[in-house]
Amino acid sequence: MEHETPEHIVRSILDGEIEKFELLVRRFQTPIFRYCYHMLGHREEAEDTSQEVFWKAYCHLSKYKQEVPFTAWLYKIAYHSCLDVLRKRKRSKLLPFLFQNEKQASNVEQHIEDVYFSESVYLALSRLSLEERTLLILRGVEEKTFEEISLIVNKKSVSLRKKYERTVAKFRLNYAKVEGREEKDAKEKCRPKFERTI
């Protein structure tokens, strides 16, 4: 059962084995939550959005086309759901990462924070465009191929490869600025210089 391909599970669901949708949820719950968390930067929004992704997937399962990998189709739903949330905020920049004081973090969330998140990473990501952030997360964190990403964001894989290289360079520069490596120099240049009077 657990070794069935997502596409095979979808066929079974469409043939009436509705209970098999739980297999899809179990298989993709963590990566979809992680993706939403990266995109939105807020635990509650990521939880709500990932639940909405599975609800939309369930409701529109009959529209799924078998020639497209199910994973790409599901991430496309997640991508558009995150876009909707960001539009509702009326801005396209991530909020700075909010450190949690409470001990409510789930095992999944704690693992994500330990492995991926730091304030500097989040601030560096927030300086990227939504498209750049999506590309960096899908390729660098979720380890999607450029072909899969092209299906998710409706762009040609060749142009995505080039954009990814530029985005990585831009992210590194942003990260260096956030870490203060370049800002120290900027502060020195901005410091007023007083002439000595004798």
Side-chain angles (χ1 to χ4, degrees), residues 18-29:
I18 297 168
E19 69 281 354
K20 281 199 170 184
F21 191 76
E22 187 183 345
L23 294 176
L24 294 176
V25 174
R26 274 194 273 142
R27 191 174 296 185
F28 293 106
Q29 191 170 21

Side-chain angles (χ1 to χ4, degrees), residues 105-121:
S106 64
N107 291 338
V108 171
E109 181 189 343
Q110 192 59 54
H111 173 72
I112 291 168
E113 286 181 15
D114 292 344
V115 175
Y116 299 111
F117 289 119
S118 73
E119 186 177 18
S120 298
V121 168

Side-chain angles (χ1 to χ4, degrees), residues 20-44:
K20 281 199 170 184
F21 191 76
E22 187 183 345
L23 294 176
L24 294 176
V25 174
R26 274 194 273 142
R27 191 174 296 185
F28 293 106
Q29 191 170 21
T30 299
I32 291 295
F33 171 74
R34 183 174 59 219
Y35 171 74
C36 293
Y37 202 3
H38 274 97
M39 289 297 291
L40 302 173
H42 191 272
R43 176 189 171 202
E44 287 77 17

Side-chain angles (χ1 to χ4, degrees), residues 27-145:
R27 191 174 296 185
F28 293 106
Q29 191 170 21
T30 299
I32 291 295
F33 171 74
R34 183 174 59 219
Y35 171 74
C36 293
Y37 202 3
H38 274 97
M39 289 297 291
L40 302 173
H42 191 272
R43 176 189 171 202
E44 287 77 17
E45 280 184 335
E47 286 173 347
D48 292 344
T49 304
S50 56
Q51 285 178 8
E52 188 179 325
V53 168
F54 287 106
W55 173 248
K56 286 178 181 175
Y58 180 77
C59 290
H60 299 286
L61 207 55
S62 60
K63 295 179 182 176
Y64 166 66
K65 295 175 183 172
Q66 294 285 327
E67 62 268 16
V68 175
F70 178 79
T71 306
W73 185 74
L74 190 62
Y75 270 92
K76 189 168 193 164
I77 294 172
Y79 170 67
H80 286 287
S81 296
C82 289
L83 282 180
D84 289 342
V85 171
L86 291 170
R87 282 189 194 111
K88 285 175 189 169
R89 288 186 192 167
K90 296 193 175 180
R91 57 185 151 171
S92 61
K93 298 291 181 188
L94 284 172
L95 293 172
F97 180 66
L98 301 173
F99 292 101
Q100 295 180 1
N101 299 327
E102 53 202 73
K103 296 180 180 178
Q104 294 179 342
S106 64
N107 291 338
V108 171
E109 181 189 343
Q110 192 59 54
H111 173 72
I112 291 168
E113 286 181 15
D114 292 344
V115 175
Y116 299 111
F117 289 119
S118 73
E119 186 177 18
S120 298
V121 168
Y122 239 75
L123 290 172
L125 276 174
S126 73
R127 295 179 179 189
L128 299 176
S129 73
L130 186 60
E131 186 180 358
E132 290 168 335
R133 203 162 57 234
T134 297
L135 181 57
L136 196 63
I137 292 166
L138 287 175
R139 179 68 183 149
V141 179
E142 299 298 319
E143 299 179 346
K144 300 293 175 201
T145 65

Side-chain angles (χ1 to χ4, degrees), residues 152-165:
I152 295 166
V153 299
N154 290 330
K155 303 267 180 169
K156 293 184 179 176
S157 59
V158 176
S159 65
L160 287 173
R161 286 176 195 274
K162 292 176 184 172
K163 184 159 188 124
Y164 178 72
E165 290 169 14

